[in-house]
């Protein structure tokens, strides 16, 4: 496994969304890289994200998935902006009853929802859902 994502993936296994932080200038970046994109330092660590986010955009893949994702269809991917100042692509959990994603809104709140270990091993990606205190209309 690539060293720069190992700690990120370990965080997902522990139910924590980790962001890479530069020890030199405190810059946060996502996804992990070998160097700080602000000061080029290679002294990088990780810090836990709050788990809050805003859904910038999303799509539901219902047909013609990339190779290897055929068994996941349908599934949703979203670009989530975090209050820490970074954004990432994540999976969106389907509504538990409708099994759909129509309750998501662009620019609406989402929260990190840790996947179980088996899912993280299969797809090491952050999952998000709509917070329970948000009214679904
Ligand atoms: Zn830096």
């Amino acid at each position: 496994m690539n060293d720069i994502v190992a700690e990120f993936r370990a965080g997902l296994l522990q139910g924590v969304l980790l962001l890479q932080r530069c020890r030199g200038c405190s810059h946060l970046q996502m996804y992990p890289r070998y160097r700080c994109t602000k000061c080029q330092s290679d002294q990088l660590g990780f810090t836990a994200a709050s788990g809050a986010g805003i859904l910038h955009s999303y799509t539901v893949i219902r047909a013609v998935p990339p190779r290897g994702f055929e068994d996941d269809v349908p599934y949703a991917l979203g670009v989530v902006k975090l209050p820490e100042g970074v954004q990432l692509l994540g999976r969106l959990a389907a509504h538990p009853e409708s099994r759909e994603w129509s309750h998501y809104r662009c620019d609406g709140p989402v929260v990190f929802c840790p996947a179980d270990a088996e899912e993280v091993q299969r797809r090491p990606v952050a999952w998000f859902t709509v917070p329970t205190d948000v009214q679904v209309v």
Side-chain angles (χ1 to χ4, degrees), residues 19-36:
L19 306 176
Q20 194 176 43
R21 178 186 296 276
C22 176
R23 292 189 180 109
C25 73
S26 297
H27 178 67
L28 289 169
Q29 56 191 22
M30 192 65 182
Y31 288 91
R33 295 174 174 92
Y34 288 105
R35 296 248 176 210
C36 172

Side-chain angles (χ1 to χ4, degrees), residues 21-117:
R21 178 186 296 276
C22 176
R23 292 189 180 109
C25 73
S26 297
H27 178 67
L28 289 169
Q29 56 191 22
M30 192 65 182
Y31 288 91
R33 295 174 174 92
Y34 288 105
R35 296 248 176 210
C36 172
T37 58
K38 186 174 180 184
C39 76
Q40 306 306 312
S41 170
D42 64 356
Q43 299 301 303
L44 302 166
F46 284 85
T47 188
S50 69
I54 297 293
L55 183 61
H56 176 66
S57 183
Y58 74 102
T59 186
V60 179
I61 291 84
R62 299 182 191 278
V64 197
R67 183 177 302 156
F69 288 78
E70 296 87 350
D71 293 341
D72 292 20
V73 172
Y75 64 96
L77 298 172
V79 175
V80 176
K81 295 179 177 179
L82 305 183
E84 291 85 355
V86 299
Q87 67 182 33
L88 70 157
L89 185 68
R91 293 283 287 259
L92 302 179
H95 190 281
E97 294 170 11
S98 70
R99 306 301 307 152
E100 274 291 333
W101 293 268
S102 58
H103 60 298
Y104 284 93
R105 297 286 180 263
C106 291
D107 294 329
V110 291
V111 292
F112 174 67
C113 61
D116 63 41

Side-chain angles (χ1 to χ4, degrees), residues 1-20 29-33 45-47 49 82 88-90 112 120 123-128:
M1 182 192 312
N2 188 329
D3 285 347
I4 62 170
V5 296
E7 194 164 342
F8 172 75
R9 290 180 177 185
L12 291 177
L13 278 172
Q14 296 167 5
V16 179
L17 177 58
L18 294 176
L19 306 176
Q20 194 176 43
Q29 56 191 22
M30 192 65 182
Y31 288 91
R33 295 174 174 92
F46 284 85
T47 188
L82 305 183
L88 70 157
L89 185 68
F112 174 67
V120 172
R123 302 263 187 246
V125 64
W127 281 75
F128 292 89

